[in-house]
Amino acid sequence: MDDLSFLAEVRLFLQRMSLAMPDPRARHRVMEVGIGLLCGEAPKTITSALEWNGAHGDWSADYRTFSKTRWRTNDLFSPILAEATAWSGKGPIFAAMDDSLLRKTGRKIPGTSYARDPLSPPFHMNLILGQRFLQTSVMARAGKGRPWRAIPVAWRHAPPLKAPRGATKQQKQAVKEARKTYNISTVGREELFRLRAEIDRLPDGFRRKLIMTADGGFANRSFLRELPDRTTVVARIRKDARLRRVLPLEKRKGNRKYGDPLPTPEEMLRDAKVRTRRMSVYVGGRRRRLRYKVVRNVCWPRVTRDRPAMLILLKPLGYRLRQGGKLLYKQPAYLFVVGDEAKVRHAIQAYLLRWQIEVNFRDEKTILGVGKAQVWNPNSVERVPAFLVACYAAMLLANMNVLNDERDDHFDSLPPWRNDEVLHPSTRDLVRLLRKQVLEERELCAARPHAA
């Protein structure tokens, strides 16, 4: 394999992404800025990316690419989605959706508001300034038996509705009422319909089922009541949710739409009359036996009304990654599966793969520095983080196309204390390899005039 093939593949993805911009002058700029943001040192700002590329002169055109040039972030992710679904196998497309908060220090930055700190302890809630974004990732893998990766295919700015400065009492009341119908769940529903439409436009995408997983924050009527066709949603619900049996149409008389009330999910998990099943799952780097229960033909009147759904009750796995390590998966999980009918093993697999989107958030914030760009323009505030996330997704897909998602001799050797099995290269490994190949290319270009 050519030493520069990984760098060439990343540039090829950036070139396809740049077609989202109608102005051809901006396309070359975003390709260079993308390489600089991936390889540059912290803080990951547009200025640091241009400095790492060795750019000199006036940088205003690069900033105007994100603030003035007309383009949409959804078009930026179109080639990413097409490639990610190609690596998702022949079965259903597994996807995950979750929101993330990017910390900010200025209250006047567009879209910034106070929100609950997700890292605060449960007994003391802290408030922080930040910008809320909604990410959607599609699960992909380099081949059967290989580990799955979450590939970001959408990144949407989802700030809460806010009354303008100096608003009247009536305007504040109107914003307060609008918040009841427009929140992160309604934004997630819009993204779910948009993702389904984008998949339908792909070759054979109309035939593929989409299984979307979401955490408990999306288990509400705003997100679950209306779902697109050929789509299944797996959402984690509360242990005391009030569910009922589905009443057949021939037994409905008068205003009666629901069957008998069901015990709570926690009570059904403890009920010995409900059959316990077992299946083999791949969690924590090895195969494990998972115990679960299935309750079919249930409905959630307050959320999905009389639409039939399936309830999956997962017993805790309770395993440790190493001797003396922290006990993981020690709490049960209650999954509400609604929408197009899906197999139980696919719903459980989709839920277990949801953790990969948390890996995305960790790498995006700690390694790539998403949200560190010091921009104030309303367009730039939304576009710069989305562009960096798209570059991150392009790097992951280039790794799968060229390196087959394997940590081979192109990467630096592992430290002596690493005695565990490496499943695939980490994001830090990919950034180091990309930076190494860019520097080697620069040395070759600098040596050519002297050789001549």
Side-chain angles (χ1 to χ4, degrees):
M1 183 184 65
D2 184 12
D3 291 341
L4 296 179
S5 59
F6 178 58
L7 173 60
E9 189 71 14
V10 173
R11 283 178 172 162
L12 181 60
F13 269 104
L14 293 178
Q15 183 180 9
R16 294 170 60 187
M17 289 162 47
S18 67
L19 297 179
M21 304 180 183
D23 188 355
R25 296 172 297 179
R27 296 173 184 173
H28 177 72
R29 298 192 189 101
V30 296
M31 293 178 58
E32 294 299 322
V33 172
I35 295 295
L37 287 174
L38 291 174
C39 301
E41 303 294 338
K44 294 299 184 78
T45 63
I46 298 179
T47 300
S48 63
L50 295 174
E51 287 182 342
W52 195 85
N53 287 331
H56 302 284
D58 186 9
W59 294 345
S60 58
D62 298 277
Y63 278 92
R64 286 197 301 269
T65 302
F66 296 96
S67 60
K68 302 296 183 181
T69 305
R70 295 182 180 180
W71 55 278
R72 301 187 307 168
T73 57
N74 292 338
D75 297 336
L76 200 70
F77 284 95
S78 295
I80 302 296
L81 177 61
E83 192 73 18
T85 53
W87 285 105
S88 61
K90 297 182 179 180
I93 299 175
F94 299 110
M97 180 182 296
D98 203 356
D99 61 306
S100 181
L101 190 67
L102 303 183
R103 290 174 177 259
K104 291 295 179 180
T105 57
R107 291 183 297 177
K108 295 184 180 180
I109 301 177
T112 302
S113 61
Y114 281 100
R116 185 184 68 85
D117 184 6
L119 299 180
S120 60
F123 54 83
H124 189 284
M125 184 184 69
N126 297 326
L127 297 178
I128 59 173
L129 275 174
Q131 292 173 300
R132 188 166 299 281
F133 289 85
L134 182 67
Q135 176 174 308
T136 306
S137 296
V138 168
M139 306 303 161
R141 57 179 177 178
K144 189 175 182 180
R146 299 288 300 155
W148 292 83
R149 279 187 183 271
I151 309 297
V153 296
W155 178 271
R156 176 171 172 178
H157 191 202
L161 296 179
K162 205 171 177 180
R165 193 172 185 179
T168 62
K169 186 176 180 180
Q170 290 77 8
Q171 289 176 331
K172 293 181 180 179
Q173 183 63 27
V175 171
K176 185 177 180 180
E177 293 296 326
R179 285 181 178 178
K180 298 179 182 179
T181 57
Y182 186 83
N183 48 42
I184 192 66
S185 297
T186 55
V187 174
R189 184 184 62 194
E190 294 173 1
E191 286 297 300
L192 180 60
F193 274 86
R194 190 191 63 81
L195 178 63
R196 179 70 261 184
E198 290 285 340
I199 294 176
D200 290 343
R201 284 193 285 267
L202 298 176
D204 293 333
F206 191 84
R207 302 178 181 178
R208 305 202 53 186
K209 180 186 296 184
L210 173 64
I211 301 182
M212 177 66 69
T213 55
D215 61 3
F218 293 88
N220 51 58
R221 70 184 72 178
S222 299
F223 185 75
L224 296 178
R225 181 158 293 183
E226 298 179 6
L227 298 177
D229 297 332
R230 304 176 307 284
T231 301
T232 305
V233 174
V234 181
R236 189 167 181 170
I237 63 174
R238 293 167 56 96
K239 61 182 179 181
D240 57 350
R242 297 182 179 181
L243 306 176
R244 300 178 73 104
R245 282 288 184 187
V246 174
L247 188 65
L249 293 176
E250 61 272 11
K251 294 184 179 181
R252 297 185 182 184
K253 297 181 181 180
N255 295 329
R256 188 184 179 191
K257 296 191 301 182
Y258 308 108
D260 298 332
L262 289 172
T264 64
E266 184 180 28
E267 293 172 347
M268 285 187 282
L269 183 63
R270 297 176 180 175
D271 189 359
K273 297 180 181 180
V274 183
R275 176 189 170 190
T276 299
R277 308 180 184 185
R278 291 172 174 82
M279 67 177 296
S280 177
V281 296
Y282 188 83
V283 179
R286 54 174 292 189
R287 285 282 174 182
R288 307 180 191 274
R289 299 293 293 178
L290 176 66
R291 298 175 298 163
Y292 67 96
K293 296 181 178 182
V294 179
V295 182
R296 301 181 184 273
N297 294 326
V298 302
C299 60
W300 197 356
R302 297 188 60 182
V303 177
T304 58
R305 295 177 179 172
D306 59 343
R307 185 169 189 171
M310 177 173 59
L311 182 65
I312 302 178
L313 313 172
L314 301 182
K315 293 191 175 183
L317 282 173
Y319 68 88
R320 305 178 192 272
L321 291 177
R322 63 187 64 86
Q323 185 177 3
K326 182 180 178 181
L327 184 65
L328 304 175
Y329 284 92
K330 58 183 180 180
Q331 296 294 333
Y334 312 101
L335 308 182
F336 189 73
V337 185
V338 64
D340 198 39
E341 186 177 358
K343 296 181 180 179
V344 176
R345 61 183 180 89
H346 286 163
I348 295 178
Q349 184 180 10
Y351 168 72
L352 296 177
L353 291 177
R354 200 205 74 85
W355 176 252
Q356 295 298 325
I357 196 173
E358 303 292 345
V359 178
N360 285 160
F361 289 147
R362 180 200 63 188
D363 293 346
E364 290 163 1
K365 293 181 181 180
T366 60
I367 300 177
L368 300 179
V370 173
K372 297 298 182 181
Q374 300 172 358
V375 289
W376 289 73
N377 185 278
N379 292 331
S380 300
V381 164
E382 177 182 356
R383 290 174 172 178
V384 174
F387 175 71
L388 183 51
V389 171
C391 293
Y392 164 61
M395 184 177 64
L396 296 180
L397 290 174
N399 156 58
M400 300 178 70
N401 288 342
V402 176
L403 305 174
N404 199 31
D405 202 17
E406 296 179 352
R407 200 180 192 283
D408 53 17
D409 297 337
H410 290 82
F411 298 94
D412 297 335
S413 59
L414 294 171
W417 51 266
R418 286 288 301 272
N419 55 5
D420 55 327
E421 181 183 3
V422 179
L423 301 178
H424 51 63
S426 64
T427 301
R428 199 177 298 273
D429 289 332
L430 297 177
V431 170
R432 288 173 178 170
L433 178 61
L434 186 65
R435 184 183 297 139
K436 174 184 176 183
Q437 293 185 354
V438 172
L439 295 178
E440 290 177 352
E441 183 185 59
R442 291 182 182 177
E443 292 180 358
L444 290 175
C445 293
R448 285 174 183 171
H450 298 286

